[in-house]
Amino acid sequence: MIDWDRLKELREEVGPEDFDEVVDLFLDEVEGVMDRLRESPNLATLKEDLHFLKGSALSLGFRQFSALCQAGETNALQGNASQIDLPEILSCYDRSKAKFIADLPGQLAA
């Protein structure tokens, strides 16, 4: 679900002092899009939303969530936005975020 090696790599790239800020920024930006998708999804902008989420997820190692966003983006590109399993994408994000927050301190200490 989480690619902890990618996360550790990111921490090395930005440095420990900036890492928390990067994580907070990621969560803030992604939460804004996720809230919009939960409350009033717009099929016209779904492809762009999923593209953004996919890239953000890859940056922080949310591997499974990123894969679902990629599949949804592909469906949207093919004109099949109504076939995207948005509830599964939302649920996967929630599970990934919970695991990320719970396991992050131990993963960084290792």
Side-chain angles (χ1 to χ4, degrees):
M1 180 170 282
I2 305 292
D3 181 352
W4 294 109
D5 289 335
R6 170 61 194 129
L7 199 63
K8 290 173 187 174
E9 181 180 292
L10 176 64
R11 188 170 188 237
E12 289 176 15
E13 289 172 5
V14 301
E17 57 281 344
D18 292 329
F19 180 74
D20 289 341
E21 184 177 334
V22 169
V23 169
D24 289 343
L25 181 62
F26 164 82
L27 292 174
D28 285 345
E29 290 181 353
V30 169
E31 284 292 328
V33 174
M34 296 304 289
D35 287 346
R36 187 170 65 243
L37 292 178
R38 282 186 208 332
E39 295 166 11
S40 58
N42 182 344
L43 293 181
T45 61
L46 192 53
K47 178 183 71 71
E48 290 82 10
D49 288 339
L50 292 173
H51 179 78
F52 167 77
L53 292 170
K54 174 190 71 178
S56 296
L58 282 174
S59 295
L60 273 191
F62 282 47
R63 185 176 45 223
Q64 185 178 8
F65 175 62
S66 177
L68 287 174
C69 291
Q70 173 65 55
E73 181 185 7
T74 299
N75 270 332
L77 282 168
Q78 295 171 347
N80 300 319
S82 63
Q83 296 179 15
I84 296 169
D85 189 353
L86 197 52
E88 176 57 23
I89 292 171
L90 297 170
S91 176
C92 181
Y93 173 73
D94 292 339
R95 291 187 315 269
S96 298
K97 179 184 170 189
K99 180 154 185 65
F100 177 82
I101 290 170
D103 294 353
L104 181 62
Q107 288 292 330
L108 294 180

